[in-house]
Each structure stands twice: as C-alpha cells, then as structure tokens.
Amino acid sequence: MLIRGTTRLLGLLGNPLSHSYSPAMHNSAIEKLGLDLVYLPLKVETRGVEACLKAIRELEFLGVNVTIPHKLAVIPFLDEVSELSRIIGGVNTIVCKNGKLSGTTTDLEGFLAGFREAGHSFDGKTVVILGNGGTARTLAFTLLLMAKPSRVIVAARDVSKSKALAHEVHEKIHQTLEVLDLAEYSKHAGEFEVIVNATPVGMFPNAGQSPLQSDWLRKDQIIYDLIYNPEETRLLQDARKQGCQTVGGLAMLVHQGIASFKLWTGVDPDPAFFYEGIRNQQKLQKALV
Ligand code: NAP
C-alpha cells in the first residue's frame, strides 16, 4: 500500500482494538481496488472521544467506524444522526463531508446481508434472539423494521431488562417483541425456526461453552451465531451434529464493513476482498503465536 500526500483517511474509533479485523478487511479492499485511502486503528478512551472527532473533522477524514464502547458516546458530537441510529440508539459509521459529521449504523445491513449470503431469509419465520444486550437490541429492531419474521422473541436471563426493551420497541415502532426467560427456553425450544446467538457465550477464550444444550436443537432449525472468534463455536458444532443449518458471525462483520465502505467511497466492493484481509490477519496471528 502506497501512502502519499493525497491519501485520504478512514479509521476505527474504539477501545480495545487489538482484536479487530476491520483495519485488515478495509485495507485489503482498498488495496485490491487501487484507491488512494488508508484505514487506521484509532484507539481512544471515552474522555478523548470529543477531541478525536474534532481531529477527524480537521484532518478531513473520509469517515470512520465506531465500535465498543463509543457507539453512543459519539452522538452528542455529530452534526446529524440518522433516524435508524436514533431509534436503535447507536452509531457505527460516521461519514465526513464538507466539514460535517453524519452518523448512522450499518450493523442492521450486516446482520441481514450475512444471513442472506448464506442463502437464508427471515421471512415468515419464528426467530429467537439469545441475549438482551446492545447487539440483541439492534437485531430486535432490525428484524421488526426490515425483515418479515412471523414472531420475534428475546430470550435472556434478566427478564425485566427484556420487558423494558419490548416496551421500548412497542413505543417506538408499534411492534411486538416477545419475552422469554432463558431458564424456560427448553420448554419452548421446538417453536423456533431461527436461533440467533447474541450472547458472548462460546467466544474466545471460553470456546468450549454454548448458550444452549445440544439436545434442545432440532435439525430443521437455522442457527446464526454472531460470534466470529472462534468461527466454528461450540453452538455451531452441536447444531451441525444435529443436522441444523448454520451461519457464523464473520458474515455479519464483513457485510457491515461493506455497507460502511459504500457510504464513504460509493464503491461496492467484492466481499472476497474483505474475507481475504481477515484470512491474512489470521495467518499473521497464527505465525506470531
Ligand atoms: P452485551 O451488550 O454485553 O450483551 C451480552 C448479552 O449476553 C447480555 O444479554 C447478557 O446477559 C448475555 N450473556 C452474557 N453471558 C451470558 C451467559 N453466561 N448466559 C446467558 N446470557 C449471557 O454484548 P453485545 O455487544 O450485545 O455482543 C453480544 C455478542 O455479539 C458478542 O459475542 C459479540 O462478539 C457479538 N457481536 C458480533 C458482531 C458481528 O459482526 N459478528 C457484531 C456485534 C456483536 P446478562 O445481562 O444477563 O449478563
């Protein structure tokens, strides 16, 4: 990659960033497409978010991604925020144009496109989301606003938190989000056609764990695990053994990145460029161990 005096800047605002595949994904696409851009990690503490956004404006960045823990913290310092980000309550992409910072989210598009890429659709299906954290919240709104599932259920440990989310969904978009206590999951296991894991259970370094018992899985179910490290989680291994169809979390990551890239550059990159960046980083990490 040749960085010149004309090279425009992109980046990722968050903390920590050492685990992130985003710089590798975006720089791979930039290189393949021969664009005069570079994507940088911008590790910043919450107290530094305002100053960082000021610098991004001054340095005429083309745009940045925003990740944990700053998806909400950036909002007060933006010139505009999309309706979608306001409803869902988070920004993962900022576009900088003519000194103006506009925030939106591409997590929804990533989630839907990742599932579509694997050949599946949520239309007419009963979908259960495991967990009720930040991602589960985005997915609940996404499914109800942008897909046509027959039912959406959130199954988590803290029922009062799930009920508050269901209430908010009803207030904001007048739709029904059903609530299930995760402890009662096994009684309803047969009702679900798509199971989405939005908990960190099974994520590195706890790769042996699964949020569900394997005998609760049925062969006609589709299991979408958003964890991408490891790529094949315990849940996905169990699901495959039961004959279920499975989708891993890398697809969502790649497609939210592609959607951001399109907003910044107007170019629709081949997903293969993004996957290649990730594979190169994985090889490098293995070689360094
Ligand atoms: P979060 O806000 O911390 O929420 C985590 C949720 O998981 C909470 O509902 C939490 O419930 C639940 N949980 C944690 N440990 C649990 C356990 N042992 N048993 C049952 N439930 C448990 O996290 P998040 O930002 O939503 O992220 C969730 C997952 O999605 C992470 O694994 C992340 O890597 C993945 N993700 C992937 C992508 C992608 O692009 N593929 C994008 C975003 C997120 P309690 O409140 O009861 O602890």
Side-chain angles (χ1 to χ4, degrees):
M1 174 176 285
L2 183 63
I3 298 178
R4 293 170 278 175
T6 52
T7 303
R8 298 288 303 275
L9 306 174
L10 293 166
L12 173 65
L13 204 73
N15 186 18
L17 296 180
S18 51
H19 67 287
S20 176
Y21 286 134
S22 290
M25 285 185 335
H26 285 279
N27 286 320
S28 166
I30 288 166
E31 219 168 343
K32 297 273 179 203
L33 293 163
L35 300 175
D36 191 11
L37 297 169
V38 64
Y39 186 105
L40 306 167
L42 306 169
K43 180 167 164 260
V44 63
E45 301 282 346
T46 305
R47 62 181 151 72
V49 165
E50 181 177 8
C52 189
L53 287 172
K54 200 167 168 220
I56 283 165
R57 201 193 292 267
E58 289 296 325
L59 295 168
E60 297 183 352
F61 270 63
L62 205 52
V64 290
N65 280 133
V66 184
T67 188
I68 288 169
H70 304 320
K71 287 186 176 187
L72 283 172
V74 294
I75 292 179
F77 311 115
L78 301 178
D79 299 300
E80 54 183 36
V81 174
S82 72
E83 181 66 14
L84 225 44
S85 277
R86 285 205 186 282
I87 292 174
I88 291 166
V91 161
N92 86 330
T93 304
I94 299 174
V95 178
C96 319
K97 207 170 181 184
N98 305 325
K100 209 166 94 179
L101 303 183
S102 311
T104 190
T105 175
T106 63
D107 283 336
L108 313 87
E109 236 171 298
F111 171 67
L112 295 174
F115 201 59
R116 209 168 39 236
E117 183 185 67
H120 302 300
S121 158
F122 290 106
D123 290 3
K125 302 218 168 65
T126 299
V127 184
V128 65
I129 302 166
L130 307 179
N132 59 8
T135 303
R137 176 193 164 80
T138 300
L139 306 189
F141 278 105
T142 303
L143 287 167
L144 292 166
L145 281 171
M146 300 173 81
K148 296 188 187 76
S150 63
R151 292 169 63 200
V152 181
I153 301 110
V154 67
R157 299 188 289 198
D158 184 344
V159 174
S160 59
K161 189 175 167 195
S162 299
K163 281 187 179 162
L165 174 60
H167 181 72
E168 192 187 333
V169 165
H170 190 258
E171 289 283 296
K172 284 187 171 169
I173 62 169
H174 313 293
Q175 302 236 30
T176 303
L177 175 67
E178 296 177 45
V179 170
L180 175 66
D181 183 345
L182 194 57
E184 305 280 307
Y185 182 93
S186 63
K187 290 187 197 155
H188 299 267
E191 293 172 26
F192 312 128
E193 292 166 288
V194 182
I195 299 163
V196 181
N197 180 29
T199 78
V201 185
M203 190 163 76
F204 177 85
N206 300 311
Q209 298 176 3
S210 170
L212 300 178
Q213 270 182 223
S214 62
D215 57 353
W216 296 347
L217 301 167
R218 272 192 350 239
K219 71 171 188 310
D220 55 342
Q221 291 175 321
I222 307 170
I223 319 297
Y224 190 3
D225 195 339
L226 301 188
I227 292 171
Y228 54 80
N229 184 14
E231 273 178 60
E232 174 96 338
T233 57
R234 173 71 189 276
L235 173 64
L236 293 185
Q237 285 170 5
D238 288 347
R240 219 185 285 280
K241 280 183 201 149
Q242 296 288 346
C244 307
Q245 300 186 68
T246 58
V247 186
L250 220 47
M252 173 172 172
L253 181 77
V254 163
H255 285 278
Q256 60 78 31
I258 288 176
S260 300
F261 195 89
K262 273 197 265 183
L263 288 176
W264 299 320
T265 64
V267 177
D268 189 1
D270 186 335
F273 300 160
F274 278 63
Y275 283 110
E276 192 178 322
I278 293 171
R279 300 292 171 224
N280 287 338
Q281 178 168 331
Q282 288 171 332
K283 268 189 234 155
L284 195 68
Q285 277 167 342
K286 252 191 202 155
L288 290 173
V289 170

